[in-house]
Amino acid sequence: MAKIKLMSHLVAGYPTDELSLEAARALVAGGADILEIQLAFSDPSADGPAIQGACTKVLERGYKTADGLALIKKIHNEFPQTTIYLMSYGSLVFTPGVKEFCKRAAAVGVNGMIIPDLPFDFDEGLTAACRENGMENIPVAAPSMSEERLQKMAGAGFKYIYAALRTGITGSDTTIGQDTIDFIKKVAAGGSKVYGGFGISKGEQSKALAPYVEAVVAGSVFVRTISANAGDKAALFEAVKAKAEELTGGN
């Protein structure tokens, strides 16, 4: 079987910058094609307990957007061929101004933005600002969207759409059934490539999902793995790498 394309999630600066960078190295070593790097946010709307907890710990250290962007720059410099998407929430993008934020993100090596609480059709200029800076805006589709709205997003000309495979928050398991596949097909109907995730933590799920998406997305599972090995840098590297290999079908 061909290697499964994987988008993996990291919270910038969790549990420390050094271990965050080590986790990025482990993800790349394990076969992750895309690093989705989250800037910690105090009130995330779609993140489950693992990611929320990681964000809280990072913010307690007084971590700022500039710190997260500096870490992304380090990761990009080390892995210039690896695609990096920045994930966060609207208020962090608004604070310096959408254009300014996108300019700063692009300058440190970000290839695309995932901002779940900015609707695709009222995005405060995010899509245009991404385009100006050579990045993609990747909107998020959810099964709770109306058919009409889903069609509108699918036909809006985005290169990529992130399909959240169920409603609710990240972190609990998702079953890849016919309804999931039907939803992905609707998201892809306009020609956009689809990234599919939410609750993906095992190789079997990844294999079931892979034929229908551009890349499988896994987030909370990596944050939990990082948390469980935060006291031992070498163990963290091996555990994160092994999980990435499992999800890409590499072992």
Side-chain angles (χ1 to χ4, degrees):
M1 184 180 162
K3 177 188 162 296
I4 296 165
K5 197 169 178 184
L6 174 67
M7 185 202 296
S8 56
H9 188 97
L10 278 176
V11 175
Y14 180 74
T16 64
D17 275 19
E18 183 189 4
L19 291 175
S20 208
L21 180 57
E22 193 67 7
R25 289 172 179 143
L27 289 165
V28 174
D33 304 271
I34 302 163
L35 299 178
E36 180 192 12
I37 304 177
Q38 178 169 354
L39 295 184
F41 188 70
S42 57
D43 187 25
S45 57
D47 295 322
I51 293 175
Q52 279 196 28
C55 285
T56 300
K57 286 193 169 68
V58 170
L59 292 170
E60 281 169 356
R61 285 172 31 218
Y63 212 72
K64 300 283 190 288
T65 296
D67 300 318
L69 292 176
L71 179 64
I72 289 171
K73 186 175 185 178
K74 271 188 193 170
I75 294 169
H76 171 68
N77 287 347
E78 198 165 321
F79 303 105
Q81 302 311 312
T82 300
T83 298
I84 295 175
Y85 293 149
L86 187 154
M87 183 258 160
S88 197
Y89 290 90
S91 64
L92 280 189
V93 180
F94 286 144
T95 306
V98 175
K99 284 188 174 185
E100 178 59 24
F101 187 94
C102 287
K103 194 172 158 188
R104 286 168 68 189
V108 297
V110 172
N111 303 102
M113 306 276 283
I114 301 170
I115 312 293
D117 60 343
L118 274 186
F120 74 95
D121 46 355
F122 295 99
D123 70 1
E124 305 295 336
L126 181 64
T127 300
C130 281
R131 219 169 266 148
E132 277 169 31
N133 289 283
M135 300 188 296
E136 297 293 335
N137 178 29
I138 303 161
V140 178
S144 56
M145 290 172 79
S146 68
E147 290 285 328
E148 185 187 6
R149 193 157 173 71
L150 199 54
Q151 281 178 9
K152 191 178 173 190
M153 180 188 276
F158 290 101
K159 186 174 182 181
Y160 303 107
I161 297 175
Y162 183 134
L165 300 182
R166 56 174 171 71
T167 52
I169 56 172
T170 60
S172 49
D173 274 356
T174 297
T175 304
I176 312 303
Q178 190 56 47
D179 54 343
T180 307
I181 294 160
D182 290 344
F183 171 62
I184 291 166
K185 285 179 177 170
K186 286 176 189 171
V187 176
S192 300
K193 294 176 181 179
V194 178
Y195 298 128
F198 253 53
I200 304 299
S201 62
K202 302 181 189 81
E204 307 87 78
Q205 291 171 301
S206 192
K207 286 185 184 78
L209 180 59
Y212 306 99
V213 294
E214 171 71 9
V216 170
V217 185
S220 293
V221 65
F222 287 116
V223 177
R224 289 195 294 268
T225 304
I226 290 163
S227 298
N229 295 280
D232 184 334
K233 189 175 175 180
L236 182 148
F237 182 91
E238 289 307 323
V240 171
K241 178 173 175 274
K243 181 51 76 173
E245 286 172 345
E246 179 191 336
L247 292 171
T248 58
N251 66 352

